[in-house]
Coordinates of all heavy atoms in Angstrom, one line a residue:
M509 N -14.2 -84.4 39.8 CA -15.2 -84.6 38.8 C -16.4 -85.4 39.4 O -17.5 -85.4 38.8 CB -14.7 -85.4 37.7 CG -15.5 -85.3 36.4 SD -15.9 -83.6 36.0 CE -15.2 -83.5 34.4
P510 N -16.4 -86.0 40.6 CA -17.5 -86.7 41.2 C -18.7 -85.7 41.4 O -19.8 -86.1 41.4 CB -17.0 -87.3 42.4 CG -15.6 -87.1 42.5 CD -15.2 -86.2 41.4
R511 N -18.4 -84.4 41.7 CA -19.5 -83.5 42.0 C -20.3 -83.2 40.8 O -21.4 -82.7 40.8 CB -18.9 -82.2 42.6 CG -18.3 -82.4 43.9 CD -17.8 -81.1 44.5 NE -19.0 -80.4 45.0 CZ -19.0 -79.1 45.3 NH1 -17.9 -78.4 45.2 NH2 -20.0 -78.5 45.8
A512 N -19.7 -83.4 39.6 CA -20.4 -83.1 38.4 C -21.6 -84.0 38.1 O -22.6 -83.6 37.5 CB -19.4 -83.1 37.2
L513 N -21.5 -85.2 38.6 CA -22.5 -86.2 38.3 C -23.4 -86.4 39.5 O -24.6 -86.8 39.4 CB -21.9 -87.5 37.9 CG -21.1 -87.5 36.7 CD1 -20.4 -88.9 36.5 CD2 -21.9 -87.1 35.5
G514 N -23.0 -86.1 40.7 CA -23.7 -86.3 41.9 C -24.6 -85.1 42.3 O -24.6 -84.1 41.6
P515 N -25.5 -85.3 43.3 CA -26.4 -84.2 43.7 C -25.6 -83.1 44.3 O -24.6 -83.3 45.0 CB -27.3 -84.9 44.7 CG -26.6 -86.1 45.2 CD -25.7 -86.5 44.1
T516 N -26.0 -81.9 44.1 CA -25.4 -80.8 44.7 C -26.2 -80.2 45.7 O -27.5 -80.2 45.7 CB -25.1 -79.7 43.6 OG1 -26.3 -79.3 43.0 CG2 -24.1 -80.2 42.5
E517 N -25.6 -79.6 46.8 CA -26.3 -78.9 47.8 C -26.4 -77.5 47.5 O -25.5 -76.9 47.0 CB -25.6 -79.1 49.1 CG -25.7 -80.6 49.6 CD -25.0 -80.7 51.0 OE1 -25.0 -79.7 51.7 OE2 -24.6 -81.8 51.3
R518 N -27.6 -76.9 47.7 CA -27.8 -75.5 47.4 C -27.8 -74.7 48.7 O -28.2 -75.2 49.7 CB -29.1 -75.4 46.8 CG -29.1 -74.4 45.6 CD -30.5 -74.1 45.2 NE -30.9 -75.0 44.1 CZ -32.1 -74.9 43.6 NH1 -32.9 -74.0 43.9 NH2 -32.4 -75.7 42.6
E519 N -27.2 -73.5 48.6 CA -27.3 -72.6 49.8 C -28.7 -72.1 50.0 O -29.4 -71.9 49.0 CB -26.4 -71.4 49.5 CG -24.9 -71.6 49.7 CD -24.2 -70.3 49.6 OE1 -24.8 -69.2 49.9 OE2 -23.0 -70.3 49.2
P520 N -29.1 -71.8 51.2 CA -30.4 -71.2 51.4 C -30.5 -69.8 50.9 O -29.4 -69.1 50.9 CB -30.6 -71.3 52.9 CG -29.2 -71.4 53.5 CD -28.4 -72.1 52.5
F521 N -31.6 -69.4 50.4 CA -31.8 -68.0 49.9 C -31.7 -67.0 51.0 O -32.3 -67.1 52.0 CB -33.1 -67.9 49.1 CG -33.3 -66.5 48.6 CD1 -32.7 -66.1 47.5 CD2 -34.2 -65.6 49.2 CE1 -32.9 -64.8 47.0 CE2 -34.4 -64.4 48.7 CZ -33.7 -64.0 47.6
R522 N -30.8 -66.0 50.8 CA -30.6 -64.9 51.7 C -30.6 -63.6 50.9 O -29.9 -63.5 49.9 CB -29.3 -65.0 52.5 CG -29.3 -66.1 53.4 CD -28.0 -66.2 54.2 NE -27.1 -65.1 53.9 CZ -25.8 -65.1 54.2 NH1 -25.2 -66.1 54.7 NH2 -25.1 -64.1 53.8
L523 N -31.4 -62.7 51.4 CA -31.5 -61.4 50.8 C -30.4 -60.5 51.5 O -30.6 -60.1 52.7 CB -32.9 -60.8 51.0 CG -33.1 -59.4 50.3 CD1 -32.9 -59.6 48.8 CD2 -34.5 -58.9 50.6
T524 N -29.4 -60.1 50.8 CA -28.3 -59.4 51.4 C -27.7 -58.4 50.4 O -27.7 -58.7 49.2 CB -27.2 -60.3 52.0 OG1 -26.2 -59.5 52.6 CG2 -26.6 -61.2 51.0
L525 N -27.1 -57.3 50.9 CA -26.4 -56.4 50.0 C -24.9 -56.7 50.0 O -24.2 -56.2 49.2 CB -26.6 -55.0 50.5 CG -28.0 -54.4 50.3 CD1 -28.1 -53.0 50.9 CD2 -28.5 -54.4 48.9
N526 N -24.5 -57.6 51.0 CA -23.1 -58.0 51.1 C -22.8 -59.3 50.3 O -22.5 -60.3 50.9 CB -22.7 -58.1 52.5 CG -22.9 -56.8 53.3 OD1 -22.8 -55.8 52.8 ND2 -23.2 -57.0 54.6
S527 N -22.9 -59.2 49.0 CA -22.7 -60.4 48.2 C -21.3 -60.9 48.2 O -21.0 -62.1 47.8 CB -23.2 -60.2 46.8 OG -22.5 -59.1 46.2
D528 N -20.3 -60.1 48.6 CA -18.9 -60.5 48.6 C -18.5 -61.1 50.0 O -17.4 -61.6 50.2 CB -18.0 -59.4 48.3 CG -18.1 -58.2 49.2 OD1 -18.9 -58.2 50.1 OD2 -17.2 -57.3 49.1
G529 N -19.4 -61.2 51.0 CA -19.1 -61.8 52.2 C -18.5 -60.8 53.3 O -18.3 -61.2 54.4
R530 N -18.2 -59.6 52.9 CA -17.6 -58.6 53.8 C -18.7 -57.6 54.3 O -19.6 -57.4 53.5 CB -16.4 -57.9 53.2 CG -15.3 -58.8 53.0 CD -14.1 -58.1 52.5 NE -14.2 -58.2 51.0 CZ -13.5 -57.5 50.2 NH1 -12.6 -56.6 50.6 NH2 -13.6 -57.7 48.9
K531 N -18.5 -57.0 55.4 CA -19.4 -56.0 55.9 C -19.1 -54.7 55.2 O -18.0 -54.3 55.0 CB -19.3 -55.8 57.4 CG -19.9 -56.9 58.2 CD -19.8 -56.5 59.7 CE -20.5 -57.5 60.5 NZ -20.5 -57.1 61.9
H532 N -20.2 -54.0 54.8 CA -20.1 -52.7 54.2 C -21.1 -51.8 54.9 O -22.1 -51.4 54.3 CB -20.3 -52.7 52.7 CG -19.5 -53.6 51.9 ND1 -18.1 -53.4 51.7 CD2 -19.7 -54.8 51.4 CE1 -17.6 -54.4 51.0 NE2 -18.5 -55.3 50.8
T533 N -20.8 -51.5 56.1 CA -21.8 -50.7 56.9 C -22.2 -49.4 56.4 O -23.3 -49.0 56.2 CB -21.3 -50.6 58.4 OG1 -20.9 -51.9 58.9 CG2 -22.4 -50.0 59.3
R534 N -21.1 -48.6 56.0 CA -21.4 -47.2 55.5 C -22.1 -47.3 54.2 O -23.1 -46.6 54.0 CB -20.1 -46.5 55.3 CG -20.2 -45.1 54.8 CD -18.9 -44.4 54.6 NE -18.2 -45.2 53.6 CZ -17.3 -44.7 52.8 NH1 -16.9 -43.5 52.9 NH2 -16.7 -45.5 51.9
E535 N -21.7 -48.2 53.3 CA -22.3 -48.3 52.0 C -23.8 -48.7 52.1 O -24.6 -48.2 51.4 CB -21.5 -49.2 51.1 CG -20.2 -48.6 50.7 CD -19.1 -48.9 51.7 OE1 -19.4 -49.5 52.7 OE2 -17.9 -48.6 51.4
N536 N -24.0 -49.7 52.9 CA -25.4 -50.2 53.1 C -26.3 -49.2 53.7 O -27.4 -49.0 53.3 CB -25.4 -51.5 54.0 CG -24.7 -52.7 53.3 OD1 -24.5 -52.7 52.1 ND2 -24.4 -53.7 54.1
T537 N -25.8 -48.4 54.7 CA -26.5 -47.3 55.3 C -26.9 -46.3 54.3 O -28.1 -45.8 54.2 CB -25.8 -46.7 56.4 OG1 -25.4 -47.7 57.4 CG2 -26.6 -45.7 57.1
L538 N -26.0 -45.9 53.5 CA -26.2 -44.9 52.4 C -27.3 -45.4 51.4 O -28.2 -44.7 51.0 CB -25.0 -44.5 51.7 CG -24.0 -43.6 52.5 CD1 -22.7 -43.5 51.7 CD2 -24.6 -42.2 52.7
T539 N -27.1 -46.7 51.1 CA -28.1 -47.2 50.1 C -29.5 -47.3 50.7 O -30.5 -46.9 50.0 CB -27.7 -48.7 49.8 OG1 -26.4 -48.6 49.1 CG2 -28.6 -49.4 48.8
L540 N -29.6 -47.6 52.0 CA -31.0 -47.7 52.6 C -31.6 -46.3 52.8 O -32.8 -46.1 52.6 CB -30.9 -48.5 53.9 CG -30.6 -49.9 53.7 CD1 -30.5 -50.6 55.1 CD2 -31.7 -50.6 52.8
I541 N -30.7 -45.3 53.1 CA -31.2 -43.9 53.2 C -31.7 -43.4 51.9 O -32.8 -42.8 51.8 CB -30.1 -43.0 53.8 CG1 -29.8 -43.3 55.2 CG2 -30.5 -41.5 53.6 CD1 -28.6 -42.6 55.8
A542 N -31.0 -43.7 50.8 CA -31.4 -43.3 49.5 C -32.7 -44.0 49.1 O -33.6 -43.4 48.5 CB -30.3 -43.6 48.5
L543 N -32.8 -45.3 49.4 CA -34.0 -46.0 49.1 C -35.3 -45.4 49.9 O -36.3 -45.3 49.3 CB -33.8 -47.5 49.4 CG -35.0 -48.4 49.0 CD1 -35.1 -48.4 47.5 CD2 -34.7 -49.8 49.5
V544 N -35.1 -45.1 51.1 CA -36.2 -44.6 51.9 C -36.6 -43.2 51.4 O -37.8 -42.9 51.2 CB -35.9 -44.6 53.4 CG1 -36.9 -43.8 54.2 CG2 -35.8 -46.0 54.0
C545 N -35.6 -42.4 51.2 CA -35.9 -41.0 50.6 C -36.6 -41.1 49.2 O -37.5 -40.4 48.9 CB -34.7 -40.2 50.5 SG -34.0 -39.6 52.1
G546 N -36.1 -42.0 48.4 CA -36.7 -42.2 47.1 C -38.2 -42.7 47.2 O -39.0 -42.3 46.4
L547 N -38.4 -43.6 48.1 CA -39.8 -44.2 48.3 C -40.7 -43.1 48.8 O -41.8 -43.0 48.3 CB -39.7 -45.4 49.3 CG -41.0 -46.1 49.4 CD1 -41.4 -46.8 48.1 CD2 -40.8 -47.2 50.5
V548 N -40.2 -42.3 49.8 CA -41.1 -41.2 50.3 C -41.3 -40.2 49.2 O -42.5 -39.7 49.0 CB -40.4 -40.5 51.5 CG1 -41.0 -39.2 51.9 CG2 -40.3 -41.4 52.7
A549 N -40.3 -39.8 48.4 CA -40.5 -38.9 47.3 C -41.5 -39.4 46.3 O -42.3 -38.7 45.8 CB -39.2 -38.5 46.7
F550 N -41.3 -40.7 45.9 CA -42.1 -41.3 44.9 C -43.6 -41.3 45.3 O -44.5 -40.9 44.5 CB -41.6 -42.7 44.6 CG -42.4 -43.3 43.4 CD1 -42.1 -43.0 42.1 CD2 -43.3 -44.3 43.7 CE1 -42.7 -43.6 41.1 CE2 -44.0 -44.9 42.6 CZ -43.7 -44.6 41.3
V551 N -43.9 -41.7 46.5 CA -45.3 -41.9 47.0 C -45.9 -40.5 47.2 O -47.0 -40.2 46.8 CB -45.3 -42.7 48.3 CG1 -46.7 -42.6 48.9 CG2 -44.9 -44.1 48.0
S552 N -45.2 -39.6 47.8 CA -45.7 -38.3 48.1 C -45.8 -37.4 46.9 O -46.5 -36.4 46.8 CB -45.0 -37.6 49.2 OG -43.6 -37.4 48.9
G553 N -45.1 -37.8 45.8 CA -45.1 -37.0 44.6 C -46.4 -37.1 43.9 O -46.8 -36.2 43.1
F554 N -47.2 -38.1 44.1 CA -48.5 -38.2 43.5 C -49.6 -37.6 44.3 O -50.8 -37.6 43.9 CB -48.8 -39.7 43.3 CG -47.9 -40.3 42.2 CD1 -46.9 -41.2 42.6 CD2 -48.0 -40.0 40.9 CE1 -46.1 -41.7 41.7 CE2 -47.2 -40.5 40.0 CZ -46.2 -41.4 40.3
V555 N -49.3 -37.0 45.5 CA -50.2 -36.3 46.3 C -49.9 -34.8 46.1 O -48.8 -34.3 46.4 CB -50.1 -36.7 47.8 CG1 -51.1 -35.9 48.6 CG2 -50.3 -38.1 48.0
V556 N -50.9 -34.1 45.6 CA -50.7 -32.7 45.2 C -50.3 -31.8 46.4 O -49.4 -31.0 46.4 CB -51.9 -32.1 44.5 CG1 -51.7 -30.6 44.2 CG2 -52.2 -32.8 43.2
S557 N -50.9 -32.0 47.6 CA -50.7 -31.2 48.7 C -49.3 -31.6 49.4 O -48.9 -30.8 50.3 CB -51.8 -31.4 49.8 OG -51.9 -32.7 50.2
A558 N -48.7 -32.6 49.0 CA -47.4 -33.1 49.6 C -46.2 -32.7 48.7 O -45.2 -33.4 48.7 CB -47.4 -34.5 49.9
H559 N -46.4 -31.7 47.8 CA -45.4 -31.4 46.8 C -44.0 -31.0 47.4 O -43.0 -31.3 46.9 CB -45.8 -30.3 45.9 CG -46.1 -29.0 46.5 ND1 -45.2 -28.1 46.7 CD2 -47.3 -28.5 47.0 CE1 -45.7 -27.0 47.3 NE2 -47.0 -27.3 47.5
M560 N -44.1 -30.3 48.6 CA -42.9 -29.9 49.3 C -42.1 -31.1 49.8 O -40.8 -31.2 49.7 CB -43.2 -28.9 50.4 CG -42.1 -28.0 50.7 SD -42.7 -26.7 51.8 CE -42.3 -27.4 53.4
I561 N -42.8 -32.1 50.4 CA -42.1 -33.3 50.9 C -41.5 -34.0 49.8 O -40.4 -34.5 49.9 CB -43.1 -34.1 51.7 CG1 -43.6 -33.4 52.9 CG2 -42.5 -35.5 52.1 CD1 -44.8 -34.1 53.6
A562 N -42.2 -34.2 48.7 CA -41.7 -34.9 47.5 C -40.5 -34.2 46.9 O -39.5 -34.9 46.6 CB -42.8 -35.0 46.5
S563 N -40.5 -32.9 46.8 CA -39.4 -32.2 46.2 C -38.1 -32.3 47.1 O -37.1 -32.7 46.6 CB -39.7 -30.7 46.1 OG -40.9 -30.6 45.2
W564 N -38.2 -32.1 48.4 CA -37.0 -32.1 49.2 C -36.5 -33.6 49.4 O -35.3 -33.8 49.4 CB -37.3 -31.5 50.6 CG -37.3 -30.0 50.4 CD1 -38.4 -29.2 50.5 CD2 -36.2 -29.1 50.1 NE1 -38.0 -27.9 50.3 CE2 -36.7 -27.8 50.0 CE3 -34.8 -29.4 49.9 CZ2 -35.8 -26.7 49.8 CZ3 -34.0 -28.3 49.6 CH2 -34.5 -27.0 49.6
A565 N -37.5 -34.5 49.7 CA -37.0 -35.9 49.8 C -36.4 -36.4 48.5 O -35.4 -37.2 48.6 CB -38.2 -36.8 50.2
G566 N -36.9 -36.0 47.4 CA -36.4 -36.4 46.1 C -35.0 -35.9 45.9 O -34.1 -36.6 45.4
V567 N -34.7 -34.6 46.3 CA -33.4 -34.0 46.1 C -32.4 -34.7 47.0 O -31.3 -35.1 46.6 CB -33.4 -32.5 46.4 CG1 -32.0 -32.0 46.5 CG2 -34.1 -31.8 45.2
V568 N -32.8 -34.9 48.3 CA -31.9 -35.6 49.2 C -31.6 -37.0 48.8 O -30.5 -37.5 48.8 CB -32.5 -35.6 50.6 CG1 -31.7 -36.5 51.6 CG2 -32.5 -34.2 51.2
G569 N -32.7 -37.8 48.4 CA -32.5 -39.1 47.9 C -31.7 -39.2 46.7 O -30.8 -40.2 46.5
F570 N -31.8 -38.3 45.8 CA -31.0 -38.3 44.5 C -29.5 -38.0 44.8 O -28.7 -38.7 44.3 CB -31.5 -37.2 43.6 CG -30.9 -37.3 42.2 CD1 -31.4 -38.2 41.3 CD2 -29.9 -36.5 41.8 CE1 -30.9 -38.3 40.0 CE2 -29.3 -36.5 40.6 CZ -29.8 -37.5 39.6
I571 N -29.2 -37.1 45.7 CA -27.8 -36.7 46.0 C -27.2 -37.9 46.8 O -26.1 -38.3 46.5 CB -27.8 -35.4 46.8 CG1 -28.1 -34.3 45.9 CG2 -26.4 -35.2 47.4 CD1 -28.3 -32.9 46.5
V572 N -27.9 -38.4 47.8 CA -27.4 -39.5 48.6 C -27.2 -40.7 47.7 O -26.2 -41.5 47.8 CB -28.3 -39.8 49.8 CG1 -27.9 -41.1 50.5 CG2 -28.2 -38.7 50.8
G573 N -28.2 -41.0 46.8 CA -28.1 -42.1 45.9 C -26.9 -42.1 45.0 O -26.3 -43.1 44.7
M574 N -26.7 -40.9 44.5 CA -25.5 -40.7 43.6 C -24.2 -40.9 44.3 O -23.3 -41.6 43.8 CB -25.5 -39.3 42.9 CG -26.7 -39.1 41.9 SD -26.7 -40.3 40.6 CE -25.5 -39.5 39.5
Y575 N -24.1 -40.4 45.5 CA -22.9 -40.6 46.3 C -22.7 -42.1 46.7 O -21.6 -42.7 46.6 CB -22.8 -39.7 47.5 CG -21.6 -39.9 48.3 CD1 -20.4 -39.5 47.9 CD2 -21.6 -40.6 49.5 CE1 -19.2 -39.7 48.6 CE2 -20.5 -40.9 50.3 CZ -19.3 -40.4 49.8 OH -18.1 -40.6 50.5
S576 N -23.8 -42.7 47.0 CA -23.8 -44.1 47.4 C -23.4 -45.0 46.2 O -22.7 -46.0 46.3 CB -25.2 -44.5 47.9 OG -25.2 -45.9 48.3
Q577 N -23.9 -44.6 45.0 CA -23.5 -45.3 43.8 C -22.0 -45.2 43.6 O -21.3 -46.1 43.2 CB -24.2 -44.7 42.6 CG -24.0 -45.4 41.3 CD -24.6 -46.8 41.2 OE1 -25.3 -47.3 42.2 NE2 -24.5 -47.5 40.1
Y578 N -21.4 -44.0 43.9 CA -20.0 -43.7 43.7 C -19.1 -44.6 44.6 O -18.1 -45.1 44.2 CB -19.7 -42.3 44.0 CG -18.3 -41.9 43.9 CD1 -17.6 -41.9 42.7 CD2 -17.6 -41.5 45.0 CE1 -16.3 -41.5 42.6 CE2 -16.3 -41.1 45.0 CZ -15.6 -41.2 43.7 OH -14.3 -40.8 43.7
V579 N -19.6 -44.8 45.9 CA -18.8 -45.6 46.9 C -19.2 -47.0 47.0 O -18.7 -47.7 47.9 CB -18.8 -44.9 48.3 CG1 -18.2 -43.5 48.2 CG2 -20.2 -44.9 48.9
S580 N -20.2 -47.5 46.3 CA -20.7 -48.8 46.4 C -19.7 -49.9 46.2 O -18.8 -49.7 45.4 CB -22.0 -49.0 45.5 OG -21.6 -49.0 44.2
A581 N -19.9 -51.0 46.8 CA -18.8 -52.1 46.7 C -19.4 -53.4 46.1 O -18.6 -54.1 45.6 CB -18.4 -52.5 48.1
T582 N -20.7 -53.5 46.0 CA -21.2 -54.8 45.4 C -22.3 -54.5 44.4 O -22.8 -53.4 44.3 CB -21.8 -55.7 46.5 OG1 -23.0 -55.0 47.1 CG2 -20.8 -56.0 47.6
T583 N -22.6 -55.4 43.6 CA -23.6 -55.3 42.6 C -25.0 -55.1 43.1 O -25.8 -54.4 42.6 CB -23.6 -56.5 41.6 OG1 -22.2 -56.7 41.1 CG2 -24.5 -56.4 40.5
A584 N -25.3 -55.8 44.3 CA -26.6 -55.6 44.9 C -26.8 -54.2 45.4 O -27.9 -53.7 45.2 CB -26.7 -56.6 46.1
E585 N -25.8 -53.6 45.9 CA -25.9 -52.2 46.4 C -26.1 -51.3 45.2 O -26.9 -50.4 45.2 CB -24.6 -51.7 47.1 CG -24.4 -52.3 48.4 CD -23.0 -52.0 49.0 OE1 -22.2 -51.4 48.3 OE2 -22.8 -52.4 50.1
R586 N -25.4 -51.5 44.1 CA -25.6 -50.7 42.9 C -27.0 -50.8 42.3 O -27.6 -49.9 41.8 CB -24.5 -51.1 41.8 CG -23.2 -50.7 42.3 CD -22.1 -51.1 41.3 NE -20.8 -50.9 41.8 CZ -19.9 -51.9 42.1 NH1 -20.2 -53.1 41.7 NH2 -18.8 -51.6 42.6
S587 N -27.5 -52.0 42.3 CA -28.9 -52.2 41.8 C -29.9 -51.5 42.7 O -30.8 -50.8 42.1 CB -29.2 -53.7 41.8 OG -28.4 -54.4 41.0
V588 N -29.8 -51.5 44.0 CA -30.7 -50.8 44.8 C -30.5 -49.3 44.7 O -31.5 -48.5 44.7 CB -30.6 -51.3 46.3 CG1 -31.4 -50.5 47.2 CG2 -30.9 -52.8 46.4
N589 N -29.3 -48.9 44.5 CA -29.0 -47.5 44.3 C -29.7 -46.9 43.1 O -30.3 -45.8 43.1 CB -27.5 -47.2 44.2 CG -26.8 -47.2 45.5 OD1 -27.5 -47.0 46.6 ND2 -25.6 -47.6 45.5
I590 N -29.7 -47.7 42.0 CA -30.3 -47.2 40.7 C -31.9 -47.1 40.9 O -32.5 -46.1 40.5 CB -30.0 -48.2 39.6 CG1 -28.5 -48.1 39.2 CG2 -30.9 -47.9 38.4 CD1 -28.1 -46.7 38.8
V591 N -32.5 -48.1 41.6 CA -33.9 -48.0 41.9 C -34.2 -46.7 42.8 O -35.2 -46.0 42.5 CB -34.4 -49.3 42.6 CG1 -35.8 -49.1 43.1 CG2 -34.3 -50.5 41.7
A592 N -33.4 -46.5 43.8 CA -33.6 -45.3 44.6 C -33.4 -44.0 43.9 O -34.2 -43.1 44.1 CB -32.6 -45.4 45.8
I593 N -32.4 -43.9 43.0 CA -32.2 -42.7 42.2 C -33.3 -42.4 41.3 O -33.8 -41.3 41.2 CB -30.8 -42.8 41.5 CG1 -29.7 -42.8 42.4 CG2 -30.7 -41.7 40.4 CD1 -28.3 -43.2 41.8
V594 N -33.8 -43.5 40.7 CA -35.0 -43.3 39.7 C -36.2 -42.9 40.5 O -37.0 -41.9 40.1 CB -35.2 -44.6 38.9 CG1 -36.5 -44.5 38.2 CG2 -34.1 -44.8 38.0
M595 N -36.5 -43.5 41.7 CA -37.7 -43.1 42.4 C -37.5 -41.7 43.0 O -38.5 -40.9 43.0 CB -37.9 -44.1 43.6 CG -38.5 -45.4 43.2 SD -39.1 -46.4 44.6 CE -37.8 -46.4 45.8
S596 N -36.3 -41.3 43.4 CA -36.1 -39.9 43.8 C -36.3 -38.9 42.7 O -36.9 -37.9 42.9 CB -34.7 -39.8 44.4 OG -34.5 -40.6 45.5
F597 N -35.8 -39.3 41.5 CA -36.0 -38.4 40.4 C -37.5 -38.2 40.0 O -37.9 -37.1 39.8 CB -35.2 -38.9 39.2 CG -35.3 -38.0 38.0 CD1 -34.6 -36.8 37.9 CD2 -36.2 -38.3 36.9 CE1 -34.7 -36.0 36.8 CE2 -36.3 -37.4 35.9 CZ -35.6 -36.3 35.8
V598 N -38.2 -39.3 40.0 CA -39.6 -39.2 39.6 C -40.4 -38.4 40.7 O -41.2 -37.6 40.4 CB -40.2 -40.6 39.5 CG1 -41.8 -40.6 39.4 CG2 -39.7 -41.3 38.3
G599 N -40.0 -38.6 42.0 CA -40.6 -37.9 43.1 C -40.4 -36.4 43.0 O -41.3 -35.6 43.2
V600 N -39.1 -36.0 42.8 CA -38.8 -34.6 42.7 C -39.4 -34.0 41.5 O -39.9 -32.8 41.5 CB -37.3 -34.4 42.8 CG1 -36.6 -34.6 41.5 CG2 -37.0 -32.9 43.2
A601 N -39.5 -34.7 40.4 CA -40.1 -34.1 39.2 C -41.6 -33.9 39.4 O -42.1 -32.8 39.0 CB -39.9 -35.1 38.0
T602 N -42.3 -34.8 40.0 CA -43.7 -34.6 40.2 C -44.0 -33.6 41.3 O -44.9 -32.9 41.3 CB -44.4 -36.0 40.6 OG1 -43.8 -36.6 41.7 CG2 -44.5 -36.9 39.4
G603 N -43.1 -33.6 42.3 CA -43.2 -32.5 43.4 C -43.0 -31.1 42.8 O -43.8 -30.2 43.2
I604 N -42.1 -31.0 41.9 CA -41.9 -29.7 41.3 C -43.1 -29.3 40.4 O -43.5 -28.2 40.3 CB -40.6 -29.6 40.5 CG1 -39.4 -29.6 41.4 CG2 -40.5 -28.4 39.5 CD1 -38.0 -29.8 40.8
Y605 N -43.6 -30.3 39.7 CA -44.8 -30.1 38.8 C -46.0 -29.6 39.7 O -46.7 -28.8 39.2 CB -45.1 -31.4 38.1 CG -46.4 -31.3 37.3 CD1 -46.4 -30.6 36.1 CD2 -47.6 -31.9 37.7 CE1 -47.6 -30.4 35.3 CE2 -48.7 -31.8 37.0 CZ -48.7 -31.1 35.8 OH -49.9 -31.0 35.1
H606 N -46.1 -30.2 40.9 CA -47.3 -29.8 41.7 C -47.1 -28.6 42.5 O -48.1 -28.2 43.2 CB -47.7 -31.0 42.6 CG -48.2 -32.2 41.9 ND1 -49.4 -32.1 41.1 CD2 -47.8 -33.5 41.8 CE1 -49.6 -33.3 40.6 NE2 -48.7 -34.1 41.0
G607 N -45.9 -28.0 42.6 CA -45.8 -26.8 43.3 C -44.4 -26.4 43.8 O -44.2 -25.3 44.2
G608 N -43.5 -27.3 43.7 CA -42.1 -27.0 44.0 C -41.6 -27.2 45.5 O -42.3 -27.9 46.2
F609 N -40.6 -26.4 45.8 CA -39.9 -26.6 47.1 C -40.5 -25.8 48.2 O -40.1 -26.0 49.4 CB -38.4 -26.2 46.9 CG -37.7 -27.2 46.0 CD1 -37.5 -26.9 44.7 CD2 -37.2 -28.4 46.5 CE1 -36.8 -27.7 43.8 CE2 -36.5 -29.3 45.6 CZ -36.3 -28.9 44.3
I610 N -41.2 -24.8 47.9 CA -41.8 -23.9 49.0 C -43.3 -24.0 48.9 O -43.9 -24.3 47.9 CB -41.3 -22.5 48.8 CG1 -41.7 -21.9 47.4 CG2 -39.8 -22.3 49.1 CD1 -41.3 -20.5 47.2
P611 N -44.0 -23.7 50.1 CA -45.4 -23.9 50.1 C -46.2 -22.9 49.3 O -46.1 -22.1 48.7 CB -45.8 -23.7 51.6 CG -44.6 -23.3 52.3 CD -43.4 -23.4 51.4

């Protein structure tokens, strides 16, 4: 009970996907691939001439993100996966609106 009244030491802030302390190399790699594809799809989805890039990057990001969500091990990975899946979906939707998968 002495810790309840005394000062407590705080851990330094670290940005990590491994919140459980174990390495998850495959899961982290899938999460980052989905995030990069989602970001590319989202950004290029607003450029009309880049509709093909947005469409394909969005589909790849969506599929990789869904699989990554299925095999994820920590809450941080799941949170990033949801952001990546949403960005991929918006990117593929705007890419299809602007012209689709073929030139």
Side-chain angles (χ1 to χ4, degrees):
M509 198 54 120
R511 292 184 78 192
L513 299 175
T516 59
E517 292 183 26
R518 223 192 268 182
E519 280 187 29
F521 178 75
R522 290 183 3 198
L523 185 61
T524 180
L525 294 176
N526 300 328
S527 58
D528 61 352
R530 290 183 269 171
K531 286 186 175 183
H532 304 288
T533 308
R534 181 184 60 154
E535 291 85 356
N536 291 345
T537 304
L538 287 171
T539 299
L540 293 178
I541 289 171
L543 185 65
V544 168
C545 287
L547 189 62
V548 168
F550 185 79
V551 170
S552 61
F554 292 107
V555 179
V556 176
S557 61
H559 62 87
M560 206 168 91
I561 295 169
S563 299
W564 285 109
V567 166
V568 170
F570 190 80
I571 292 170
V572 171
M574 293 298 278
Y575 180 72
S576 179
Q577 183 74 0
Y578 177 68
V579 299
S580 64
T582 63
T583 304
E585 289 171 357
R586 293 180 189 115
S587 300
V588 174
N589 284 333
I590 293 300
V591 170
I593 290 168
V594 169
M595 284 195 309
S596 295
F597 181 78
V598 170
V600 77
T602 55
I604 289 171
Y605 174 76
H606 289 301
F609 294 98
I610 55 176

